[in-house]
Amino acid sequence: MSDRLVAWLRTVVPVAWSALVAWLVSLGAPDYLTDALGGAAELLVVPIVVGVVYPLARTIEARLPDWLTRVLLGSAKSPTYREVRRSPRP
């Protein structure tokens, strides 16, 4: 699998999990919370959940078995990035 695909998977899969978690939370959220946010609730909840789920998944990644890392992050392999060398400025 190419590094580009690995990087894409490790971005998209946690976001999909976060969207699922946000949707499940919204099903059981009390009306006083969702009413206060109005239509913005749907726009705000997913980015907030992504901001929590993704760093948490990356933090515990080293302690997880490969199969669970694949489920949560899309790939157990981290992408490798080639070093870009810049020429010194004159």
Side-chain angles (χ1 to χ4, degrees), residues 27-63:
L27 292 177
D31 288 337
Y32 68 87
L33 286 177
T34 55
D35 290 346
L37 294 173
E42 295 172 1
L43 295 173
L44 294 174
V45 172
V46 172
I48 290 169
V49 174
V50 169
V52 172
V53 169
Y54 186 74
L56 180 64
R58 292 299 308 271
T59 300
I60 65 171
E61 176 183 6
R63 296 182 213 111

Side-chain angles (χ1 to χ4, degrees), residues 10-47:
R10 287 176 64 95
T11 301
V12 172
V13 171
V15 169
W17 278 113
S18 298
L20 177 65
V21 168
W23 177 71
L24 291 172
V25 167
S26 72
L27 292 177
D31 288 337
Y32 68 87
L33 286 177
T34 55
D35 290 346
L37 294 173
E42 295 172 1
L43 295 173
L44 294 174
V45 172
V46 172

